[in-house]
Amino acid sequence: MNHILKSQQFSRKALDALFAQTDHMRKLYDDTIGRKGLTALLQGQLIYPVFYEPSSRTRYSFCSAAANLGMRPIWTESAGEFSSAVKGESLEDTIRVLCEYDPTVIVLRHPKEGAAERAAAVVDKFGYKVSIINAGDGKGQHPTQALLDLYTIRRELGRIDGLRVTIGGDLLNGRAVRSLVYLLSKYKGVKLTLLSPKNLRLGTDLKQHLREHGVEFIETQNMKAALTSANIIYWTRIQKERGSKNNTLNLRIGPRELKWVSPDARILHPLPRVDEIDPAIDGDPRAAYFRQTKNGMFIRMALLQSVSA
Ligand code: NCD
């Protein structure tokens, strides 16, 4: 595996292998001697997180994952503000220049859909031995988020096949949702309930993909039914910076809505949350979103190892 650009590139077999490797990383990390040993794996290799959009989790979990494996992260606070893009440099030129300094990995977050693919094309055209990882390309995809989401589902409930998954919020412009839907469609018997304001429904391209893969799905605005029926509730914020507006639907999950959720279901959220999940429910064992963020570090350790091998 060279670049990580979109969810579709992962087969079921590759996902199983990745999750096994992620479990292995966690086990070593949780052991004092194991943790020390990990730092020898990619000792001294460079990783450049190049982020043209804001990020907390993705950037810090990639940097932590890299440091845990002995890599050295080198980055500027905000590429959108401080890189030569401000002077008018093309993404292609920036990537080519960065490749000259021999990083093993460039983790790219960019507001334009297709940016990671463009970066990977530069790497391949000039034969650099650099892996591009897509950490979010506009409304496009965020594959490493979806991988950690799926890993979290598997870890929390022990399975993915046959689950009822309710995905709620901004399904039109949320790239984490898009990447997750592609991944879920690889599993057997998954049933999706898609809850969103009518103007922020899942894109027709993805609905077509679901139909082609025989994935059952319904679209609804009924919160109570959507929460009651679910094994997994995947909640997301409205992507205001991408022009999304919600004036119609109350999407907040608080103590009242939590009563509708099954006792052995789990609530996930890629975070950041704004007001769609009340912090009053954070202590409930079904609220899995902070465990989910920690899983992100382990998935990224496994991914960094696989692209650096
Ligand atoms: C997501 C993103 O950037 O798309 N954030 C993240 O990486 N966890 C979700 C979001 O911003 O809503």
Side-chain angles (χ1 to χ4, degrees), residues 57-58 109 135 142 145 175-176 237 239 241-242 270-272:
R57 271 148 298 278
T58 306
R109 172 168 287 191
H142 192 355
Q145 176 68 46
R175 57 195 173 196
R237 74 184 170 90
Q239 305 274 314
E241 74 273 38
R242 305 194 198 289
L271 302 179

Side-chain angles (χ1 to χ4, degrees), residues 272-302:
R273 67 172 153 196
V274 185
D275 49 16
E276 64 283 351
I277 293 188
D278 184 342
I281 71 161
D282 290 355
D284 190 281
R286 290 167 290 182
Y289 27 90
F290 289 106
R291 297 194 289 277
Q292 184 184 352
T293 60
K294 175 117 195 197
N295 292 338
M297 184 179 80
F298 296 118
I299 274 282
R300 286 168 175 136
M301 285 167 74

Side-chain angles (χ1 to χ4, degrees), residues 3-5 46-53 55 57-66 71 73-76 79 91 95 98 103-110 115-116 119 130-137 142-145 300 303-304 307:
H3 307 299
I4 300 174
L5 305 177
L46 298 180
I47 176 171
Y48 297 168
V50 182
F51 280 54
Y52 294 84
E53 280 190 343
S55 167
R57 271 148 298 278
T58 306
R59 182 157 39 194
Y60 279 92
S61 70
F62 260 115
C63 289
S64 305
M71 298 180 93
I74 299 179
W75 48 292
T76 167
L91 175 67
I95 294 296
L98 295 181
T104 305
V105 179
I106 294 175
V107 183
L108 181 69
R109 172 168 287 191
H110 197 278
V130 177
S131 292
I132 299 292
I133 300 183
N134 180 6
D137 61 325
H142 192 355
T144 67
Q145 176 68 46
R300 286 168 175 136
L303 287 171
L304 287 176
V307 295

